[in-house]
Amino acid sequence: MSLFRSPHNPIIGPKDVKPSSKDFEVIGVFNAGVTRFDDEVILLLRVAERPISTHPDIVLAGVYDVALGEIVLKEFSRDEPENDFSDPRLIIRPDQTYLTSISHLRLARSADGINFDIEDTPALGPANDIESFGIEDPRISLIDGTYYITYVAVCPLGVTTCLASTKDFKSFQRLGVIFCPENKDVVLFPERINGKYYALHRPVSPLFKKQDIWLAESPDLRCWGSHRFLCAPDENRWDQIKVGPSAVPFKIEQGWLEVYHGVGRDNRYCLGAVLLDAGRPWKIIARGEKPIFQPQADYETSGFFSNVIFTCGLLFEDDKLKIYYGAADTTICYAELSLEEILDGLNL
Ligand code: BMA
């Protein structure tokens, strides 16, 4: 598959983003929601911040405290055997898991799609109990003139998905939790199908070790039901361990094209393509056997969490997929893929 990576990659890195307070450093800017608004490309960046620790043996976690209305710091000693730091994203304790960074969403705008002006303060940050460990991985769907944003909210109750909306990217309305724990990677179809709204989502079954893609429908974008299983990791291919929706699906002549992410046994995050029926999105028309995009460049193979290509959004323009993606959970990069080659990979 011929792929164009921007020579300017990474187009946004942690140094380009102002921390939200002097107590934090930005360690990652990645997994951005994408749309066009007022002739500009809008990115809603996931900004991951770490509290600055003054002692090398102490790891700090930021937790939003609702009563105080601010992020408070919790200390974890590297010497304490009960603290497991083996995953750089987590502090695992017998009683509770914490995150090593806390994320918020930040707006960036660009006329050319490559050079972005990044706002100095968060557009949306943790603001309630459900969001106390941060908010992550936004996806933007333009539906009937309103921009709907699904985002992951993390707290001690688990990982949920919330909904927000905006018409101007200045003021945002929070519409609450739409999928309860554990469920993330929710993408809304940008139009109603036979009068109903549809979403792809990724529930988790710890008992059966399942992380599959499901489809749900809704009369109003808030109440989701009629859940249907769509597709699972595939033992014999590249996405053996887990799959999840990634970009907002977009319509082509042959149906809905969904760029999803899959994780293999080697723990690499790659992107794949699946084509869904236009009027019956629970029907898979084709699923590519190979990934359409995998980590190869230095900035993809090494970083905070290495070997990750993860997208929350793309622009489908001029028969090209203009993909904004998180590389190694550290930076935002840009690549282009041709629709024709993706369809070839789907044997269409
Ligand atoms: C997934 C998501 C993404 C992240 C990826 C790799 O589960 O949480 O936010 O980019 O893991 O760490």
Side-chain angles (χ1 to χ4, degrees):
M1 174 101 37
S2 64
L3 177 91
F4 168 78
R5 281 179 173 83
S6 170
H8 303 288
N9 278 349
I11 58 168
I12 305 176
K15 285 195 187 68
D16 302 321
V17 183
K18 271 209 181 114
S20 63
S21 103
K22 61 174 182 14
D23 301 329
F24 291 102
E25 57 181 333
V26 174
I27 58 161
V29 49
F30 52 109
N31 301 358
V34 185
T35 194
R36 275 198 183 272
F37 177 71
D38 273 357
D39 293 334
E40 287 184 312
V41 178
I42 294 269
L43 294 182
L44 196 52
L45 311 169
R46 169 178 172 188
V47 176
E49 296 182 298
R50 180 165 61 193
I52 298 168
S53 178
T54 47
H55 196 288
D57 294 338
I58 298 292
V59 176
L60 297 173
V63 177
Y64 181 78
D65 184 309
V66 180
L68 296 174
E70 62 184 33
I71 295 171
V72 295
L73 306 184
K74 286 195 178 291
E75 292 192 358
F76 301 92
S77 165
R78 288 199 186 274
D79 298 333
E80 205 184 307
E82 287 205 324
N83 295 337
D84 173 356
F85 299 103
S86 56
D87 185 323
R89 300 170 296 187
L90 308 173
I91 303 156
I92 304 169
R93 289 178 49 82
D95 55 333
Q96 177 68 60
T97 295
Y98 293 86
L99 304 188
T100 53
S101 64
I102 182 163
S103 294
H104 65 261
L105 311 183
R106 189 85 65 102
L107 212 69
R109 298 165 195 274
S110 168
D112 64 7
I114 296 293
N115 297 288
F116 281 87
D117 289 329
I118 304 166
E119 292 190 351
D120 286 344
T121 53
L124 280 171
N128 54 51
D129 280 333
I130 288 289
E131 302 174 350
S132 63
F133 287 0
I135 61 175
E136 309 177 348
D137 298 1
R139 275 91 169 179
I140 307 171
S141 296
L142 174 60
I143 309 175
D144 299 335
T146 298
Y147 294 87
Y148 288 94
I149 300 156
T150 58
Y151 61 93
V152 174
V154 190
C155 77
L157 295 173
V159 175
T160 64
T161 295
C162 297
L163 183 65
S165 70
T166 184
K167 280 188 185 286
D168 55 10
F169 288 96
K170 287 187 189 129
S171 69
F172 298 85
Q173 289 74 46
R174 279 180 152 86
L175 302 169
V177 177
I178 53 169
F179 286 89
C180 60
E182 296 271 325
N183 204 323
K184 55 162 45 174
D185 301 324
V186 177
V187 296
L188 305 178
F189 285 68
E191 61 186 66
R192 273 179 273 200
I193 303 167
N194 304 320
K196 289 177 192 142
Y197 297 103
Y198 281 87
L200 297 171
H201 62 111
R202 212 282 301 279
V204 177
S205 163
L207 184 59
F208 295 102
K209 299 195 169 54
K210 287 293 194 186
Q211 305 202 55
D212 302 338
I213 299 178
W214 287 63
L215 181 81
E217 57 183 58
S218 170
D220 59 4
L221 291 170
R222 293 197 192 196
C223 303
W224 292 93
S226 300
H227 297 274
R228 290 181 230 228
F229 163 79
L230 201 66
C231 65
D234 188 329
E235 256 305 293
N236 304 312
R237 303 167 357 142
W238 57 278
D239 48 0
Q240 302 112 349
I241 303 296
K242 55 177 166 175
V243 289
S246 244
V248 171
F250 59 93
K251 217 171 187 180
I252 57 172
E253 208 187 305
Q254 297 86 342
W256 291 101
L257 191 63
E258 168 60 11
V259 171
Y260 71 98
H261 64 272
V263 185
R265 268 189 282 272
D266 47 10
N267 219 16
R268 286 167 89 229
Y269 282 69
C270 303
L271 301 180
V274 61
L275 183 69
L276 309 175
D277 186 89
R280 294 169 300 165
W282 53 90
K283 277 203 64 161
I284 294 180
I285 297 175
R287 180 171 167 193
E289 271 170 24
K290 298 207 172 99
I292 57 169
F293 194 5
Q294 44 188 323
Q296 263 157 357
D298 291 350
Y299 46 81
E300 297 159 354
T301 56
S302 65
F304 178 73
F305 197 77
S306 300
N307 290 312
V308 173
I309 286 183
F310 193 98
T311 187
C312 287
L314 56 83
L315 300 172
F316 176 56
E317 294 171 348
D318 313 322
D319 283 334
K320 279 189 288 207
L321 281 67
K322 301 177 173 177
I323 303 184
Y324 291 87
Y325 64 99
D329 283 2
T330 307
T331 57
I332 300 269
C333 296
Y334 174 82
E336 291 177 357
L337 279 163
S338 91
L339 176 65
E340 199 184 330
E341 289 193 45
I342 292 176
L343 295 181
D344 283 350
L346 293 173
N347 294 320
L348 290 173

